[in-house]
C-alpha cells in the first residue's frame, strides 16, 4: 500500500515533466538541464518503488507468471543491448555467450528479463573489468550465468545473500537489498533454482537453472517476438531507473561525422550527464567517472579535447592532467579543469599540471562551450598555417613544450634523411622511440596527417627554404629533398602551396610570404 502511495505522486511528477520536455525548445538551456535531472531522478524513484512492488508480489505469492513460448537468445540479447552501454560507461567489458540462438523455452519473458537485469545490475556494481553473460541448455533446462571479476562475496555472507534487504559488507555501492531476493523468487516461481559461486578478491558468479517447459499444465501464449515486453524498469548500479522513454548516457553518446571527440571525466553522475547533454550536439562524447577510467579511454580512443573535474575518487583531475601532459602520446590534447576550488593556490596547481584552461564552478555553459571551441579552433588554425604557408616550421603547431620538442626532433630526423627517397616510417618511428601505430595516432592528433604525408610536406618545406636562398636551380633542389622527378616535384609543390616553385621565388623576392 505504501509503495502504491509513493508511485502515484512519482508518476504525477514524471507525467507533467514529459509534457514540459516535449516543448523544451521554448525553455532556457539551464532550465532544460535541471528538468532532465528531475526527470532522471523521478525515474530512479519510480524504479525503486517498482522493484519493491515486485518483491512484495513474489513474497506474498501474488506474482502471476504469464507463460509464453520465447526465443531465449533474442530475449538475452535484448537485455545485453540495454546494459552494454552502461558497462562501457563504467569502463567494463560485457561479454555475451549464446551458443544456441534459436533456443525456445516456455517462460514469463518479463520475469526472466527481471532476473537477468538484476544479476547484471549486481555484476556492474562490483566488477573490476569484465562481466560474462552466458545462456545454454541441456535439452531439459536452460542455465543463465552472470560472472564478474570483482571482490567476490565473503564466505560468511553466501548463506544470506538471497535474503530480503540483506547487504554484504563487501560492497562499495549501497542498494536496497531486494534485487537478489527478487531473482530467487522469480526463478523459483519458474520451478528453477539460483546458486552463487564466489572467491574473494577474484570473482562472483550467479547461476540460474530453469526448466525449458514447466512441469505443471499452464496456459501458454505463442508469439514470434517478445520485444513488446522487454521494457521493464531496471535499477542500474547508480540508481538510475531507465525506461523506453528516458535517455541512457553511453560512452559514445553521439556519432556526429567529422565532429571532434570530447572526453568528459567527472565522478558526479548528474554533472557528467549534464555536461554530456550540453555538448553532445557538437561533439562525439566519451564519458569516464574518474582519472583512472579517463586514462583508459585515452588509451583506447583518439581524443581531441578533455574536460575534467578536479575532485574525484581514485585519481583526481590534477593527477590526470599531469599524467596526460607527461605522456608523449597524449600531451598534445587540450585539457580544461572544472573545479569548485576558487583559491589561487588551486588555480596554480592546475596551471602547473599543464591545464590549458581552469574553469570555476558554478560555470556558464556558454563560456565553457566557447572555451572548448576556441581551444580546438586555435589548434586547427595552427595546422592550417603550417600546411599552407611554405616557411612555417613544424614546431609551430605544438601546444606545449613537450610537443615542441617532439616535433623538432621529428623534423630534424626527416631533414637528416631528406635526400633519401627510401626513408621509411619504421625508421622514423624507431628514431623517435615510438611504435608505428603510436606515431600514426600522434601525428593524426597533432597535424591531422599520416607520417607519409608529413614526410612529403617537410620535403616540400625544405625545398621552399632552399628556393628562398636562390642558390640552387629548381631541378637541383628537387633531388636534394628526395624527389626523383622534377615534373612530379613541381606538381606536388603547386598542389601543397598553391603556386609553382618559380612563382614562390618571385613572391618571396618581392617580400611576400
Amino acid at each position: 500500500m505504501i509503495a502504491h502511495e509513493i508511485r502515484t505522486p512519482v508518476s504525477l511528477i514524471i507525467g507533467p515533466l514529459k509534457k514540459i520536455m516535449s516543448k523544451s525548445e521554448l525553455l532556457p538551456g539551464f532550465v532544460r538541464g535541471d528538468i532532465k535531472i528531475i526527470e532522471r531522478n523521478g525515474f530512479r524513484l519510480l524504479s525503486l518503488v517498482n522493484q519493491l512492488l515486485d518483491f512484495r508480489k513474489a513474497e506474498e505469492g501474488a506474482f502471476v507468471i504469464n507463460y509464453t513460448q520465447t526465443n531465449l537468445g533474442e530475449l538475452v540479447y535484448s537485455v545485453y543491448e540495454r546494459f552494454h552501454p552502461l558497462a562501457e560507461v563504467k569502463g567494463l567489458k560485457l561479454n555475451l555467450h549464446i551458443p544456441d540462438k534459436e533456443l525456445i523455452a516456455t517462460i514469463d519473458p518479463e520475469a526472466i528479463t527481471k532476473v537477468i537485469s538484476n544479476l547484471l545490475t549486481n555484476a556492474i556494481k562490483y566488477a573490476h573489468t569484465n562481466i560474462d553473460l552466458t545462456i545454454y541448455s541441456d535439452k531439459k533446462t536452460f542455465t543463465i550465468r552472470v560472472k564478474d571479476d570483482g571482490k567476490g562475496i565473503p564466505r560468511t555472507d553466501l548463506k544470506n545473500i538471497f535474503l530480503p534487504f540483506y547487504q554484504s559488507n563487501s560492497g562499495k555501492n549501497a542498494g536496497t537489498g531486494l534485487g537478489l531476493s527478487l531473482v530467487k523468487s522469480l526463478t523459483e516461481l519458474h520451478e528453477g533454482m539460483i546458486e552463487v559461486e564466489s572467491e574473494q578478491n577474484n570473482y562472483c558468479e550467479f547461476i540460474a537453472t530453469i526448466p525449458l517447459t514447466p512441469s505443471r499444465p499452464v496456459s501458454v501464449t505463442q508469439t514470434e517476438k517478445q520485444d513488446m515486453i522487454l521494457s521493464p524498469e531496471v535499477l542500474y548500479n547508480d540508481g538510475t531507473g531507465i525506461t523506453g522513454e528516458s535517455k541512457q548516457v553511453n560512452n559514445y553518446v553521439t556519432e556526429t561525422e567529422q565532429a571532434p571527440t570530447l572526453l568528459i571525466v567527472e565522478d558526479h553522475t548528474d554533472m557528467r550527464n549534464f555536461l554530456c547533454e550540453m555538448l553532445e550536439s557538437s561533439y562525439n562524447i566519451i564519458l569516464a567517472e574518474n582519472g583512472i577510467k579517463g586514462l583508459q579511454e585515452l588509451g583506447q580512443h583518439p581524443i581531441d579535447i578533455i574536460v575534467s573535474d578536479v575532485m574525484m575518487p581514485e585519481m583526481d583531475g590534477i593527477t590526470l592532467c599531469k599524467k596526460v601532459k607527461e605522456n608523449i602520446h597524449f600531451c598534445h590534447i587540450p585539457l580544461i579543469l572544472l573545479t569548485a576550488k576558487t583559491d589561487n593556490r588551486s588555480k596554480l596547481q592546475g596551471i602547473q599540471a599543464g591545464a590549458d584552461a581552469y574553469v570555476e564552478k558554478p560555470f556558464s555553459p556558454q563560456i565553457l562551450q566557447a572555451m572548448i571551441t576556441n581551444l580546438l579552433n586555435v589548434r586547427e588554425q595552427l595546422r592550417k598555417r603550417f600546411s599552407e604557408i611554405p616557411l612555417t616550421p613544424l614546431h609551430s603547431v605544438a601546444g606545449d613544450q613537450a610537443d615542441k620538442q617532439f616535433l623538432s626532433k621529428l623534423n630534424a630526423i626527416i631533414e637528416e634523411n631528406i635526400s633519401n627517397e627510401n626513408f621509411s616510417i619504421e625508421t622514423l618511428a624507431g628514431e623517435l622511440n615510438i611504435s608505428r601505430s603510436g606515431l600514426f595516432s600522434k601525428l593524426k592528433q597533432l597535424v591531422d596527417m599520416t607520417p607519409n604525408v608529413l614526410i612529403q610536406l617537410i620535403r616540400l618545406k625544405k625545398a621552399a627554404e632552399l628556393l628562398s636562398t636562390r642558390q640552387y636551380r629548381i631541378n637541383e633542389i628537387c633531388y636534394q629533398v628526395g624527389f626523383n622527378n622534377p615534373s612530379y616535384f613541381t606538381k606536388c609543390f603547386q598542389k601543397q602551396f598553391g603556386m609553382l616553385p618559380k612563382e614562390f621565388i618571385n613572391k618571396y623576392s618581392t617580400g611576400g610570404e
Side-chain angles (χ1 to χ4, degrees), residues 17 21 37 39 49 55 75 79 157-158 200 250 268 289 301 312 330 345 347 355 386 453 498:
L17 271 174
M21 292 298 293
I37 292 172
E39 181 189 44
V49 172
F55 165 73
L75 184 148
V79 181
D157 288 340
L158 287 176
Q200 274 201 275
N250 304 332
H268 192 282
E289 64 191 42
H301 311 287
M312 294 182 294
F330 309 140
R345 182 181 177 183
K347 293 178 184 177
F386 164 69
V453 171

Side-chain angles (χ1 to χ4, degrees), residues 3-4 7 49-66 110 114 178 181-182 185-186 189:
H4 284 286
R7 188 167 67 175
V49 172
N50 285 339
Q51 191 179 45
L52 180 59
L53 283 173
D54 286 338
F55 165 73
R56 290 296 299 275
K57 283 182 183 177
E59 185 183 47
E60 296 171 1
F63 201 111
V64 178
I65 297 295
N66 297 307
E110 182 174 348
K114 290 179 184 292
L178 289 176
S181 178
L182 179 62
S185 296
L186 295 178
L189 284 171

Side-chain angles (χ1 to χ4, degrees), residues 231-421:
S231 58
E233 256 75 20
V234 179
L235 182 65
Y236 287 147
N237 61 325
D238 63 353
T240 305
I242 303 298
T243 70
E245 297 178 332
S246 63
K247 181 176 180 181
Q248 169 63 23
V249 178
N250 304 332
N251 264 75
Y252 303 96
V253 179
T254 58
E255 296 181 355
T256 307
E257 190 175 356
Q258 302 301 320
T261 299
L262 169 64
L263 171 63
I264 296 172
V265 188
E266 168 65 65
D267 64 312
H268 192 282
T269 302
D270 284 336
M271 177 58 74
R272 188 168 63 243
N273 293 344
F274 169 71
L275 289 167
C276 172
E277 291 162 0
M278 181 178 79
L279 299 165
E280 64 183 345
S281 62
S282 302
Y283 304 96
N284 294 319
I285 304 292
I286 293 179
L287 302 175
E289 64 191 42
N290 58 53
I292 291 176
K293 297 292 178 63
L295 287 175
Q296 290 173 356
E297 296 296 344
L298 280 168
Q300 296 174 11
H301 311 287
I303 304 295
D304 294 295
I305 190 164
I306 303 167
V307 174
S308 175
D309 188 23
V310 170
M311 299 290 290
M312 294 182 294
E314 298 191 50
M315 181 188 289
D316 62 35
I318 298 293
T319 305
L320 170 65
C321 186
K322 287 179 181 178
K323 289 186 176 293
V324 167
K325 296 302 181 179
E326 291 171 355
N327 189 307
I328 191 63
H329 297 284
F330 309 140
C331 61
H332 58 275
I333 303 173
L335 190 149
I336 299 173
L337 287 176
L338 299 178
T339 182
K341 292 185 174 182
T342 60
D343 60 284
N344 289 332
R345 182 181 177 183
S346 297
K347 293 178 184 177
L348 182 61
Q349 282 184 322
I351 294 169
Q352 290 175 335
D356 296 85
Y358 194 92
V359 180
E360 297 175 5
K361 296 178 181 178
F363 58 87
S364 161
Q366 290 77 17
I367 290 177
L368 178 60
Q369 287 175 313
M371 195 172 289
I372 294 169
T373 300
N374 288 345
L375 283 171
L376 291 174
N377 284 346
V378 167
R379 295 296 171 97
E380 184 57 36
Q381 289 166 9
L382 291 174
R383 293 190 195 108
K384 185 177 176 66
R385 181 177 176 82
F386 164 69
S387 176
E388 297 179 358
I389 300 179
L391 298 178
T392 301
L394 175 58
H395 64 72
S396 66
V397 303
D400 55 33
Q401 191 60 32
D403 279 341
K404 186 174 182 179
Q405 292 175 356
F406 173 80
L407 291 174
S408 295
K409 183 177 180 180
L410 180 147
N411 192 86
I413 293 169
I414 295 174
E415 287 199 3
E416 287 170 5
N417 295 272
I418 200 77
S419 61
N420 179 7
E421 62 184 67

